[in-house]
Amino acid sequence: MAARLVSVSVPLLLLLFVVLAGSRAALASKTVEQTCAKATSGARRKEQLAPFCVSSLQAAPGSEGADARGLAAIATNLTLANYTAAVATIKALERRGGWSERSRRALATCRQRYIEALNVVHSAVHALATGKLRDYVSDMGVVRKAATDCEDAFGSAGGNGKSPLRKVNADADNLTVVAMLIVRSLQ
């Protein structure tokens, strides 16, 4: 009788575990969706930013159990990782060579702006951790400028003005804006 009880209980427990895990994931997904909807509700590019916010945060480790403040921290960490990767991409492009003088200057401007932005992201992390939300938003506004300055550097570089960093800059801008909007929604 005990063997039969165990054989019935194991599949039942496994099924219960799967159902509970699925409902927890759905609840976590709902928190991300609600936070992103609230944060982007008044944004100019809401149609673009809301799905970007959801997909970025849902893919991030730790988001499944995070509240809005935790999601703000995760968005900030994603920004930090993105800007670090941008610097590595720029350095790789510079090493590859074959750029015109104007493009080399634009890449140098991009590298400099992204490195400066990384320093400010650290300040923003501290502001968020200490509850200085206005300082955070101000810092992240400075951080965001790196992506636009980089894109502008290629626009003013002459020629066709096509930046090899267009996607990098767009993702950097979107992540920074999402992080700022989430923090603004906490105020």
Side-chain angles (χ1 to χ4, degrees):
M1 172 112 167
R4 185 160 199 256
L5 183 61
V6 169
S7 68
V8 170
S9 297
V10 171
L12 186 61
L13 286 173
L14 185 59
L15 177 64
L16 183 61
F17 176 76
V18 169
V19 168
L20 287 175
S23 65
R24 184 170 183 244
L27 180 61
S29 177
K30 197 68 146 173
T31 301
V32 169
E33 290 171 10
Q34 289 171 343
T35 300
C36 289
K38 180 181 177 187
T40 61
S41 65
R44 277 184 249 137
R45 298 181 292 145
K46 178 184 177 179
E47 296 76 24
Q48 176 190 7
L49 289 172
F52 182 88
C53 177
V54 171
S55 63
S56 298
L57 290 177
Q58 283 180 340
S63 66
E64 65 278 351
D67 60 4
R69 193 175 207 49
L71 292 173
I74 290 168
T76 306
N77 287 333
L78 289 173
T79 302
L80 178 62
N82 178 272
Y83 277 57
T84 301
V87 171
T89 299
I90 294 164
K91 287 179 178 179
L93 288 170
E94 288 175 321
R95 279 192 303 273
R96 188 183 80 193
W99 302 101
S100 69
E101 179 59 33
R102 288 180 170 179
S103 292
R104 282 195 304 274
R105 282 196 306 267
L107 284 169
T109 296
C110 292
R111 182 175 27 84
Q112 178 185 354
R113 296 295 189 273
Y114 274 102
I115 289 171
E116 291 167 354
L118 281 171
N119 292 326
V120 182
V121 171
H122 290 289
S123 175
V125 167
H126 179 72
L128 182 61
T130 57
K132 297 177 181 171
L133 302 184
R134 286 198 173 123
D135 291 347
Y136 173 91
V137 171
S138 176
D139 285 345
M140 291 300 275
V142 171
V143 169
R144 180 182 183 204
K145 193 150 173 34
T148 56
D149 285 353
C150 178
E151 201 60 35
D152 291 348
F154 278 95
S156 64
N160 61 14
K162 289 191 178 179
S163 168
L165 298 165
R166 186 170 308 245
K167 173 83 169 104
V168 170
N169 292 332
D171 287 346
D173 183 66
N174 288 336
L175 280 170
T176 307
V177 170
V178 162
M180 287 191 313
L181 290 173
I182 293 172
V183 168
R184 281 185 182 147
S185 75
L186 299 174
Q187 296 177 334

